[in-house]
Amino acid sequence: MQLLLVGLALTSCQSQPRQLYTPSRLTIDPATVSPSHPVSANRISLREISTRRQATDPVGLPSAWRPEIPASQWRQIVIHHSATASGSVSSIDAEHRRRVDADGKPWLGIGYHFVIGNGNGMNEGQIEPTFRWREQLPGAHAGVAAANAAGIGICLIGNFEDAPPSPQQLAAAVRLTRALATEYNIAPADILRHGELKATDCPGRRFPWEAFHTAVTADAATLE
Ligand SMILES: [Zn+2]
């Protein structure tokens, strides 16, 4: 029953216009890989992501992210934005608790498994697991029952229709996603933006998906 209910539920980022996702126009410019060229927040290079990631990149899942009970069978990671300028685990939790499912029952709380702050409501790049992760519960984030059941929902605070995430926030997302993918043997093809599961622009047209996905999956074998 729970899977059905969460599958029917709406998520916060689905308030955006429902259009099929179009690939980001952001490309990886080889010039930005050179240390002699400054890296702007709007053009995030693999080097920028990699440098930030390596400083704190753990092998395996850090204890702070390790669930308190045996893990569920995770097979996907789904990336979202909050579609809001600010937010936190508690603010999203409060919003989602006001929602009801198709049967009129209140949501359990925040639908995502992890939230990554943008400096407005949470620290920039702060990664916080939610009760759904700690208790290894299905998500209420994808709008698709199978993806809610098997997909780890990660929400970055921000509206990436307006501007891309900061390098710091993006690096945190890479670090978390890599750690989860490694821990649960999730294939690169199963690391998805929300718009690949249903008709939504989430996580926003200005989210640098190609750079993100490459940074998450590049040299993944060396993490084993
Ligand atoms: Zn979404």
Side-chain angles (χ1 to χ4, degrees), residues 11-12 23 60 67 77 104 133 135-136 161 175 178 200 205 217:
T11 69
S12 64
I77 296 172
W133 182 252
E135 300 175 22
Q136 292 290 288
E161 288 289 292
R175 191 163 70 245
R178 280 179 71 98
T200 170
R205 291 188 183 89
T217 57

Side-chain angles (χ1 to χ4, degrees), residues 9-216:
L10 296 173
T11 69
S12 64
C13 57
Q14 288 167 18
S15 59
Q16 292 298 296
R18 298 189 181 188
Q19 301 171 13
L20 287 173
Y21 197 97
T22 53
S24 169
R25 278 171 289 181
L26 185 145
T27 57
I28 300 169
D29 183 345
T32 65
V33 176
S34 165
S36 63
H37 290 73
V39 177
S40 76
N42 287 333
R43 178 173 287 178
I44 299 165
S45 72
L46 285 177
R47 182 184 185 89
E48 172 82 357
I49 295 170
S50 177
T51 299
R52 289 168 182 265
R53 168 169 56 79
Q54 288 171 0
T56 53
D57 198 14
V59 176
L61 206 60
S63 58
W65 302 341
R66 198 166 281 284
E68 298 160 2
I69 60 176
S72 296
Q73 295 295 309
W74 302 115
R75 295 190 300 276
Q76 293 179 325
I77 296 172
V78 185
I79 303 296
H80 303 264
H81 70 158
S82 66
T84 57
S86 63
S88 64
V89 170
S90 59
S91 72
I92 296 173
D93 189 65
E95 182 201 334
H96 285 186
R97 283 177 188 278
R98 287 195 290 269
R99 298 184 182 194
V100 294
D101 62 28
D103 293 333
K105 295 180 181 175
W107 282 32
L108 294 172
I110 184 169
Y112 305 110
H113 294 100
F114 290 91
V115 176
I116 303 178
N118 71 343
N120 295 305
M122 287 169 58
N123 292 333
E124 186 176 28
Q126 178 186 350
I127 298 168
E128 188 171 337
T130 74
F131 80 100
R132 284 188 194 268
W133 182 252
R134 290 192 300 273
E135 300 175 22
Q136 292 290 288
L137 296 172
H141 57 86
V144 176
N148 278 335
I152 303 171
I154 300 175
C155 179
L156 285 76
I157 301 296
N159 188 335
F160 308 136
E161 288 289 292
D162 298 336
S166 71
Q168 187 173 347
Q169 190 185 25
L170 193 64
V174 169
R175 191 163 70 245
L176 174 62
T177 306
R178 280 179 71 98
L180 292 170
T182 302
E183 181 76 13
Y184 301 110
N185 293 314
I186 295 170
D190 292 321
I191 299 170
L192 305 167
R193 55 196 149 183
H194 191 191
E196 292 176 88
L197 291 168
K198 63 174 295 181
T200 170
D201 287 330
C202 181
R205 291 188 183 89
R206 299 192 68 187
F207 186 97
W209 182 256
E210 300 303 329
F212 170 81
H213 198 269
T214 300
V216 166

